[in-house]
């Protein structure tokens, strides 16, 4: 049953992605950008599809890696927390490094960002697949997962940091970038749906069996029964391991196809400051770090979203365990997670309209706080499957806002920096890489703290039920802790200085700078021709 379902899903996803790749990659050849400099819909779609691999793999790892390490790989919670924290911490450290190297890269025939994306893809796919493989040796398991988790995070950084900075190179127009970002966020949230669906539905067909607490009693009463139970458990656990490998193979295929769409369908545009009078010598790593961390609007934006991101990462990392053990819906957790992602996908167009109509800061306040009452509701009432689905829909609306708004506001900070520092160039990747650094650092902290807390509370690996202390810990991790972090983030964000008036003013100033630079280049060309 599992193999037939998985084979059908694999073929369906592969066929769908192939069609999307061929259509999206061919249409932009005829029209990537019209005469006014506006991006075509095909270009925006191809750019957006390039963001799917990060979210597909991220959702699979975020929702399922913790429970996989504990219940399938059967690692001790302490070892699992070390893997999750060190992997994320290493990933966070590599982001500024890659951002610095990207900013120093030379322009090639396919751009500055595309070579990084193209070269890193096959190696990232291989290491991702090996994360979900259980090695046949007990002593080397911790090292195995630690090495391949860190390698995958590093290689994915080589994909995601250049891709994030690509926003600044597909168009010089703020509205076009905001529109492309909305396309990107829609596809990325859809990517989380796909990742959650593939991982959840395939793995859900072979859920890792639990061990009843009185198993040792059976040993004294009936040794034959105990041996039979262990045999059944062993077979079922092997099926679960196979399901994780099948899911990872499907996700790896989609990763490659989406990267191909991005490479074939998007062309980088050389900014005016890269080819004119504003070109400067590349800055050192520490100069770039001082520049980024010393710029007030950027620091306030990043710190605000750091706390809100940490809140949603705590919810994401522990929700599967909370549903399985605290609420008792072991056979429904993958469907509940899928509802969250579907709700988020459908909410992206609404939040794009809302931020245009009412401003980005207002969208932050409304969008991020929307989920707070429902976070409180889920832990205050008696376990109910209907309430769990209602809360999932509401949480998805806030997840959409948390996805869209940071990436929509980062270009505004970069533009503001350009206005204040017109002689600086090549800094886009540094701004984006440090933001990714802080979000991944927050993810590492959330995963490490979560798993350590469960260890201290007495988490029972593959147990059918958990002690009351574990259930209480899970409640804290999915409700009170995220709520406090959300309000801390919004308090910091209140000091963020770039409002709609300043953003529009920056847009006009940058347009004037571009026109002035183009006039200077025209005059230089005419003078050279005359000579």
């Amino acid at each position: 049953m599992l193999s037939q379902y998985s084979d059908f899903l694999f073929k369906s996803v592969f066929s769908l992605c192939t069609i999307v790749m061929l259509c999206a990659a061919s249409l932009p050849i005829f029209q990537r950008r019209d005469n006014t400099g506006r991006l075509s819909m095909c270009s925006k779609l191809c750019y957006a599809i390039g963001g799917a691999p990060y979210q597909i793999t991220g959702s699979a790892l975020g929702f399922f890696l913790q429970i996989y390490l504990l219940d399938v790989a059967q690692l001790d919670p302490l070892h699992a927390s070390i893997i999750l924290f060190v992997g994320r911490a290493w990933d966070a450290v590599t982001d500024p490094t890659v951002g610095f190297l990207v900013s120093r890269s030379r322009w090639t025939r396919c751009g500055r960002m595309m070579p990084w994306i193209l070269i890193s893809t096959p190696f990232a796919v291989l290491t991702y697949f090996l994360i979900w493989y259980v090695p046949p040796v007990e002593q080397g398991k911790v090292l195995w997962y630690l090495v391949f988790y860190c390698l995958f995070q590093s290689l994915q950084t080589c994909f995601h940091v250049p891709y994030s900075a690509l926003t600044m190179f597909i168009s010089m127009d703020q509205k076009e970038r905001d529109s492309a970002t909305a396309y990107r966020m829609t596809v990325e949230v859809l990517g989380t749906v796909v990742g959650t669906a593939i991982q959840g539905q395939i793995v859900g067909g072979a859920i890792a069996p639990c061990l009843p607490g009185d198993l040792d009693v059976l040993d004294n009463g009936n040794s034959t029964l105990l041996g039979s139970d262990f045999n059944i458990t062993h077979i079922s656990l092997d099926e679960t391991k196979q399901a994780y490998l099948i899911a990872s193979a499907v996700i790896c295929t989609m990763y490659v196809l989406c990267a191909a769409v991005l490479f074939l369908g998007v062309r980088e545009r050389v900014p005016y400051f890269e080819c004119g009078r504003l070109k400067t010598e590349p800055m050192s790593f520490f100069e770039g770090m001082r520049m980024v961390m010393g710029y007030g609007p950027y620091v306030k934006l990043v710190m605000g979203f750091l706390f809100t991101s940490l809140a949603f990462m705590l919810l994401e990392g522990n929700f599967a365990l909370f549903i399985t053990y605290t609420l008792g819906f072991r056979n429904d957790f993958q469907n509940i997670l899928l509802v969250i992602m579907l709700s988020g996908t459908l909410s992206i167009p609404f939040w794009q309209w809302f931020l245009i109509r009412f401003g980005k800061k207002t969208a932050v306040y409304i969008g991020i706080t929307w989920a707070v009452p429902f976070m409180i509701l889920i832990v205050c009432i008696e376990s109910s499957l209907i309430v769990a689905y209602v809360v999932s829909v509401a949480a998805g609306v806030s997840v959409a806002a948390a996805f869209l708004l940071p990436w929509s506001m980062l270009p505004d900070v970069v533009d503001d920096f350009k206005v204040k520092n017109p002689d600086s160039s090549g800094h886009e990747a540094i701004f984006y890489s440090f933001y990714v650094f802080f979000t991944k650092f927050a993810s590492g902290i959330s995963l490490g703290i979560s798993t350590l807390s469960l260890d201290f509370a007495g988490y029972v690996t593959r147990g059918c039920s958990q002690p009351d202390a574990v259930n209480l810990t899970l409640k804290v991790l999915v409700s009170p802790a995220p709520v406090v972090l959300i309000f801390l983030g919004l308090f910091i964000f209140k000091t963020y200085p770039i409002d709609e008036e300043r953003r529009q003013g920056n847009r006009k100033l940058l347009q004037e700078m571009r026109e002035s630079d183009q006039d200077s280049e025209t005059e230089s060309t005419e003078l050279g021709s005359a000579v």
Side-chain angles (χ1 to χ4, degrees):
M1 178 69 181
L2 172 64
S3 60
Q4 292 177 352
Y5 177 77
S6 303
D7 184 60
F8 171 76
L9 182 59
F10 182 88
K11 291 179 180 178
S12 301
V13 172
F14 183 85
S15 301
L16 178 61
C17 290
T18 303
I19 294 171
V20 170
M21 184 188 72
L22 292 175
C23 294
S26 60
L27 288 175
I29 294 175
F30 301 100
Q31 184 184 10
R32 281 194 173 88
R33 194 178 288 110
D34 62 26
N35 294 330
T36 63
R38 293 173 59 86
L39 293 172
S40 68
M41 181 180 293
C42 292
S43 292
K44 295 175 184 178
L45 283 173
C46 290
Y47 166 73
I49 289 171
Y54 180 77
Q55 299 301 336
I56 292 174
T57 56
S59 63
L61 291 169
F63 281 123
F64 295 95
L65 184 58
Q66 185 183 45
I67 198 170
Y68 166 81
L69 293 176
L70 293 173
D71 289 354
V72 180
Q74 300 182 44
L75 297 182
D76 181 84
L78 178 62
H79 291 154
S81 67
I82 291 173
I83 292 169
L84 295 171
F85 177 75
V86 172
R88 282 295 188 174
W90 171 257
D91 183 28
V93 170
T94 59
D95 282 301
T97 305
V98 172
F100 170 72
L101 294 175
V102 169
S103 68
R104 306 268 301 198
S105 301
R106 295 183 178 182
W107 284 90
T108 65
R109 292 182 59 185
C110 55
R112 174 189 282 176
M113 309 298 165
M114 286 298 182
W116 288 84
I117 294 170
L118 185 64
I119 294 172
S120 65
T121 295
F123 301 102
V125 165
L126 176 62
T127 53
Y128 178 81
F129 181 80
L130 293 175
I131 290 174
W132 302 103
Y133 173 74
V134 180
V137 292
E138 288 295 327
Q139 298 299 324
K141 277 186 179 180
V142 175
L143 183 61
W144 173 279
Y145 289 115
L146 184 61
V147 168
F148 284 109
Y149 189 44
C150 289
L151 280 175
F152 171 72
Q153 297 290 7
S154 299
L155 291 164
Q156 193 179 50
T157 296
C158 293
F159 182 104
H160 187 60
V161 168
Y163 173 75
S164 300
L166 189 63
T167 308
M168 303 302 298
F169 297 97
I170 58 176
S171 177
M172 298 298 105
D173 187 275
Q174 278 188 0
K175 287 186 177 180
E176 290 299 300
R177 291 201 305 260
D178 285 347
S179 176
T181 299
Y183 275 79
R184 171 190 167 187
M185 291 301 107
T186 301
V187 172
E188 287 196 0
V189 176
L190 183 60
T192 64
V193 174
V194 172
T196 305
I198 292 174
Q199 195 82 9
Q201 298 304 314
I202 294 180
V203 171
I207 298 175
C210 63
L211 298 177
D214 58 350
L215 193 59
D216 54 339
V217 176
L218 294 176
D219 185 33
N220 297 326
N222 191 336
S223 58
T224 303
L225 179 60
L226 178 65
S228 174
D229 285 350
F230 269 124
N231 185 46
I232 294 173
T233 297
H234 176 70
I235 294 173
S236 184
L237 186 59
D238 284 342
E239 290 180 353
T240 304
K241 293 176 183 178
Q242 181 186 11
Y244 274 100
L245 286 177
I246 293 171
S248 67
V250 176
I251 288 175
C252 287
T253 303
M254 298 192 68
Y255 194 115
V256 173
L257 291 174
C258 291
V261 170
L262 176 66
F263 180 74
L264 295 174
V266 176
R267 294 285 179 87
E268 291 182 55
R269 183 177 181 180
V270 182
Y272 71 95
F273 48 77
E274 292 284 354
C275 54
R277 60 181 176 84
L278 295 180
K279 188 173 181 180
T280 60
E281 291 296 323
M283 67 184 69
S284 69
F285 176 80
F286 292 104
E287 287 175 343
M289 185 170 63
R290 285 195 300 268
M291 174 195 72
V292 168
M293 301 312 299
Y295 194 61
Y298 178 78
V299 173
K300 292 173 182 177
L301 179 71
V302 169
M303 293 304 295
F305 280 121
L306 173 66
F307 283 98
T308 57
S309 297
L310 181 56
F312 284 102
M313 287 173 185
L314 276 175
L315 180 64
E316 176 189 87
N318 296 281
F319 205 54
L321 292 172
F322 176 75
I323 294 169
T324 301
Y325 293 113
T326 306
L327 298 185
F329 304 132
R330 172 178 289 272
N331 297 321
D332 296 284
F333 79 92
Q334 69 272 14
N335 297 322
I336 294 174
L337 298 179
L338 184 59
V339 168
I340 294 176
M341 297 298 102
L342 284 172
S343 174
T345 302
L346 297 175
S347 302
I348 286 285
F350 167 77
W351 289 119
Q352 176 64 15
W353 167 84
F354 191 94
L355 67 85
I356 293 174
R357 177 67 177 83
F358 299 102
K360 296 181 180 180
K361 290 188 70 172
T362 304
V364 169
Y365 295 133
I366 301 298
I368 301 298
T369 57
W370 171 260
V372 170
F374 299 95
M375 289 181 182
I376 298 173
L377 177 67
I378 193 69
V379 299
C380 290
I381 65 171
E382 187 177 351
S383 177
S384 168
L385 186 59
I386 295 177
V387 173
Y389 277 109
V390 171
V391 171
S392 299
V393 173
V397 176
S398 280
V399 167
F403 263 97
L404 174 63
L405 292 168
W407 297 109
S408 179
M409 299 173 77
L410 267 175
D412 299 338
V413 175
V414 177
D415 285 344
D416 192 74
F417 181 84
K418 288 179 185 177
V419 172
K420 300 294 190 298
N421 303 271
D423 294 330
S424 177
S425 64
H427 50 265
E428 294 82 6
I430 300 176
F431 273 98
Y432 279 85
S433 64
F434 270 95
Y435 173 74
V436 177
F437 162 77
F438 283 112
T439 55
K440 290 182 177 179
F441 184 74
S443 176
I445 292 175
S446 68
L447 289 171
I449 291 176
S450 299
T451 315
L452 277 177
S453 300
L454 293 174
D455 186 29
F456 293 147
Y459 181 85
V460 180
T461 301
R462 291 177 58 212
C464 292
S465 61
Q466 297 294 337
D468 291 339
V470 173
N471 291 325
L472 178 61
T473 301
L474 288 171
K475 286 184 178 182
V476 171
L477 291 173
V478 301
S479 183
V483 169
V484 171
L485 290 169
I486 284 174
F487 283 110
L488 283 174
L490 293 178
F491 178 77
I492 295 173
F493 190 78
K494 191 172 181 62
T495 63
Y496 176 68
I498 302 178
D499 53 16
E500 290 303 303
E501 181 180 356
R502 181 166 168 176
R503 193 170 73 90
Q504 295 300 327
N506 288 340
R507 180 185 177 188
K508 293 179 181 178
L509 289 173
L510 288 172
Q511 182 64 31
E512 293 173 359
M513 291 168 64
R514 281 193 291 269
E515 293 174 353
S516 175
D517 188 72
Q518 291 171 358
D519 292 341
S520 298
E521 289 184 2
T522 302
E523 291 176 2
S524 299
T525 303
E526 292 177 351
L527 181 60
S529 300
V531 172

